[in-house]
Amino acid sequence: MPHVQSVIHPAGIEAARASHLWWLIFGICAAVWIAVAMAALIAIRTGRRAASRATDRQLGTNIAVAGALSAVVLIAILFESVLTGRAEDAIRTPDALHLQVTANQWWWDVQYVNDLPSLNVTTANEIHLPVGRPVRIDLLSTDVIHSLWIPSLQGKVDLIPGRLNELWLQADRAGVYRGQCAEYCGLQHAKMALVVVAEAPDAFERWLAANRAPAVPPSTPEQERGKAVVERGPCAMCHNITGTLAGARSAPDLTHIGSRSTIAAGTLPNTRGYLGGWIADPQHVKPGNRMPVPGLSDEQLQAVIAYLESLK
């Protein structure tokens, strides 16, 4: 399914309100532009004769009318903007789904927060949401200023080091939507995306339950070898795979990487070929990212790929 990224095709209540305001402002600005253009054409056509006949009183009247109309238009836009802001507050309910998204150069750490810490879920670069339920997202940054923007669902909100911001949204239509960092944050800013999957509540609960489980044990000798390479090699120095010896937290969680649709923060589709290319030489795909070349042999690389593909 293609990833939708469009401000003019809203899929959530917040995005729809923002889209309505945008179209209103666009319509008003278009009408003003047309009126000014027509007035300019009339002035050009009538030429200096009309200008010479115009009195100071007529000019003053015209300026007053134009000023009054401008004030009315600006007040109308301000009024509609206030109404839109207040309407967006309506989904701030205590039973909202609670997420925490932390921005890093250049990937997204996603945590589903539960009152019982044992029920928390950690994933990366992919968000699943239940359709029709309000969602509160706490926004943090570990390094520089980022900005989370999911055009089909909500507007932009910055993620600032040392500051907690909030983003509220609600998906009203199932689908797969693209999110993006909308604040220049370094060399690979353009390749800092994420996938947002809005699905039926029962499908979301199944996904959440599956992601609370530890990593699936290897089922083949090759996967077993791949697990051993991950646990004893450089992968375990940065990544976490719940249920294994890999328990670091400075890079994306890989516990269920096999079920994600993309890798490298939306840069590549999650297929065997792209996964192998990313592991073998991440700097070729995304220069400047913090994942070093692991220096694996061909046999080790194939075993690691097989193991990671099994983590669903």
Side-chain angles (χ1 to χ4, degrees), residues 107 122-124 239-242 249 251-257 260:
W107 60 282
T122 300
T123 184
H239 295 280
N240 173 72
I241 302 178
T242 303
R249 299 286 181 178
D253 189 288
L254 303 180
T255 305
H256 299 286
I257 187 176
R260 297 175 198 158

Side-chain angles (χ1 to χ4, degrees), residues 139-294:
L139 302 176
L140 302 167
S141 173
T142 61
D143 37 53
V144 299
I145 297 177
H146 300 269
S147 184
L148 178 59
W149 188 25
I150 310 169
S152 297
L153 297 178
Q154 180 55 294
K156 310 170 189 175
V157 177
D158 286 346
L159 300 89
I160 303 172
R163 178 183 175 89
L164 174 65
N165 284 341
E166 287 185 357
L167 173 68
W168 287 80
L169 56 84
Q170 177 177 306
D172 292 334
R173 187 171 69 246
V176 181
Y177 307 101
R178 178 183 168 91
Q180 181 71 47
C181 180
E183 179 80 22
Y184 181 74
C185 56
L187 180 62
Q188 292 302 327
H189 161 70
K191 292 183 178 180
M192 186 175 170
L194 75 161
V195 176
V196 180
V197 181
E199 53 198 349
D202 56 344
F204 168 75
E205 291 298 335
R206 289 194 298 271
W207 176 88
L208 196 62
N211 277 266
R212 287 191 177 115
V216 178
S219 59
T220 68
E222 184 180 38
Q223 292 175 10
E224 191 69 53
R225 290 195 299 272
K227 179 186 176 185
V229 172
V230 168
E231 289 182 323
R232 300 169 188 170
C235 303
M237 297 174 65
C238 300
H239 295 280
N240 173 72
I241 302 178
T242 303
T244 72
L245 298 179
R249 299 286 181 178
S250 61
D253 189 288
L254 303 180
T255 305
H256 299 286
I257 187 176
S259 62
R260 297 175 198 158
S261 60
T262 68
I263 55 176
T267 303
L268 300 170
N270 191 5
T271 64
R272 185 178 183 86
Y274 282 117
L275 181 60
W278 170 249
I279 296 171
D281 190 1
Q283 296 303 317
H284 175 75
V285 176
K286 205 168 179 178
N289 82 86
R290 297 181 181 179
M291 180 173 170
V293 176

